[in-house]
Amino acid sequence: MAWPRDDAKLDRVRGLMAEHGLDAIVARAPDNVVYLTNFWGMKGYDAVVFPREGSPTLLCLEASADDAARTSWTTDVRLVAGYDPTDPRPPSARTLDAAAALAAEHGTVGLELSLGTQASDRMVGEPTTFTQGWFDAFPGAVDATPLLVAARARKTDQEIERVRLANEIAAAAMDHVLGVIRPGQTEAQIAAEWLGFVHGEGTGWAGAVELALGFSLVWSGPGIKTFTATTSRPVVEDEPTLFEIWVCADGYWADHTKNVVVGELTDAYRELEHGLREVYDDAVAFCVPGASLAELDRRIRDGITRLGYADQPTHPICHGVGARAHEPPYAHQAGGGTVETGMVLAIEPGCYWPDGGGLRLEDNFLVTDAGTEKLSPFPDGIVQAAA
């Protein structure tokens, strides 16, 4: 989707480049290419050379020329052949040649030397990995990832609008699920209902989303565990069906955990919901500008311990959301950092029973000067499905 150039975002990056003494950044991770150019590539063969002064250059596959012309914020778009009969190498090698030639025009160049995880490309959700040759082609380059992390941690108004769209689609898909979920359906079948809505109705959402993709893990009753796959287990009556769900709308994400019950919730689950909701609400209220991210992690885990679930959960309890579903900042007791205005945080405490079953609550929250704003209109807690 063509969005107006987000100068607030690009000026922030250039200001940080000046502080770090960088003359240019060469970025290839799909999330960073989206962040710097608004172009969401199809196969991860694309790159951007982003100078501190002057116009960026987008390198993209020639098959994506129309997409780049429509969506990219830079008019300097140079096409890379997907196949060249005079050059039998894969297309990523031609992208590298072009990027290295452009980078040679600048002094100090920053690369994504440390990546962590990488966001999916637009086509199949399969990140294209970097080869050693990519890094060797830029002698003397420094790591630009910390700079990009700092820039991306606080969202601009446009970024917030884009995250809101992803949140709206995720919530609408959950509303759809409430009307169709039934006992005896499999986890995979009800996951497909959610996924189908995201892709079918989210694409074109509000006239502002060109492509919406959903990703999900769905577990029901004793199938609820910290890390496991969706299976053919049946939806369990009177116990939650947990939806761990992500929506990507043109490269910007929502990350939620929502819970639905068919029938009347058991007393054990009602008690767990009440206790976990207190921990969750306390964490949300704690996230004011200046709050310690390390203390947030400690506070949530102490609350979960008081509920009788010591050493849980094994998954992170808070992270950023934006051009990736999971991006810095992370709340971790071994780390640092503070909550800042403009961050979008996924807060997600969870408790799990040894033999299967449990509960997780999660939504995305925009940090404002006054506190937090919940971005999803779908309720937290366990929501009862239509009879």
Side-chain angles (χ1 to χ4, degrees):
M1 184 65 64
W3 288 81
R5 189 177 64 201
D6 193 346
D7 287 324
K9 178 167 66 174
L10 303 185
D11 289 347
R12 177 184 296 164
V13 174
R14 289 192 168 101
L16 288 167
M17 291 172 70
E19 291 179 19
H20 288 258
L22 290 186
D23 298 304
I25 292 174
V26 180
R28 189 186 147 198
D31 48 324
N32 283 327
V33 174
V34 167
Y35 184 78
L36 295 172
T37 71
N38 195 49
F39 173 76
W40 188 20
M42 293 292 289
K43 279 294 293 176
Y45 294 142
D46 316 286
V48 58
V49 180
F50 188 89
R52 190 170 74 206
E53 298 180 1
S55 297
T57 300
L58 173 65
L59 306 169
C60 77
L61 282 178
E62 58 187 2
S64 298
D66 289 345
D67 284 347
R70 187 179 69 257
T71 65
S72 175
W73 289 331
T74 180
T75 57
D76 187 358
V77 179
R78 307 191 189 185
L79 303 179
V80 175
Y83 172 71
D84 184 343
T86 68
D87 180 1
R89 299 177 302 164
S92 56
R94 288 182 282 280
T95 301
L96 171 57
D97 288 348
L102 288 165
E105 301 173 7
H106 301 280
T108 304
V109 174
L111 291 182
E112 302 146 310
L113 296 180
S114 55
L115 278 173
T117 56
Q118 179 178 312
S120 300
D121 59 57
R122 186 180 183 199
M123 183 176 178
V124 294
E126 180 182 48
T128 304
T129 57
F130 291 68
T131 62
Q132 185 63 43
W134 178 266
F135 303 106
D136 292 343
F138 302 92
V142 299
D143 189 6
T145 298
L147 183 157
L148 291 168
V149 164
R152 286 173 52 171
R154 296 171 59 205
K155 274 52 180 181
T156 63
D157 290 345
Q158 184 186 109
E159 290 185 282
I160 293 165
E161 183 180 355
R162 297 176 72 166
V163 173
R164 286 188 194 278
L165 288 167
N167 272 260
E168 290 172 6
I169 295 166
M174 286 305 305
D175 286 334
H176 168 71
V177 164
L178 285 176
V180 298
I181 188 170
R182 297 290 183 271
Q185 284 178 314
T186 67
E187 294 171 346
Q189 286 170 337
I190 197 58
E193 288 282 351
W194 185 87
L195 291 163
F197 186 98
V198 169
H199 191 40
E201 303 299 327
T203 298
W205 186 264
V209 175
E210 185 170 292
L211 175 65
L213 296 173
F215 304 84
S216 70
L217 292 169
V218 176
W219 313 306
S220 191
I224 297 173
K225 298 179 181 178
T226 308
F227 292 108
T228 188
T230 299
T231 71
S232 59
R233 288 183 295 255
V235 168
V236 179
E237 192 169 9
D238 302 330
E239 296 187 8
T241 297
L242 184 152
F243 290 74
E244 172 63 39
I245 48 178
W246 306 265
V247 168
C248 186
D250 293 337
Y252 274 78
W253 292 73
D255 178 9
H256 300 159
T257 305
K258 299 302 178 185
N259 301 274
V260 174
V261 63
V262 183
E264 298 297 328
L265 193 64
T266 65
D267 290 342
Y269 266 113
R270 188 64 71 193
E271 180 181 357
L272 178 59
E273 179 190 25
H274 177 75
L276 189 59
R277 184 60 187 260
E278 288 186 345
V279 174
Y280 179 72
D281 290 344
D282 176 76
V284 172
F286 180 78
C287 288
V288 298
S292 164
L293 287 166
E295 179 58 30
L296 174 62
D297 183 63
R298 185 179 300 109
R299 191 182 189 97
I300 289 177
R301 295 183 186 279
D302 286 349
I304 288 172
T305 297
R306 287 193 296 272
L307 295 178
Y309 298 90
D311 303 322
Q312 291 198 30
T314 58
H315 57 74
I317 53 79
C318 178
H319 59 83
V321 181
R324 271 206 323 248
H326 298 78
E327 65 179 27
Y330 289 91
H332 196 285
Q333 292 173 47
T338 57
V339 175
E340 301 295 340
T341 299
M343 288 180 172
V344 176
L345 301 176
I347 299 173
E348 51 175 316
C351 300
Y352 306 93
W353 295 335
D355 296 327
L359 191 62
R360 177 153 76 233
L361 305 178
E362 180 184 15
D363 211 306
N364 300 158
F365 294 89
L366 169 65
V367 180
T368 72
D369 291 338
T372 53
E373 176 192 347
K374 178 174 145 64
L375 295 183
S376 170
F378 194 83
D380 294 317
I382 302 172
V383 181
Q384 191 168 32

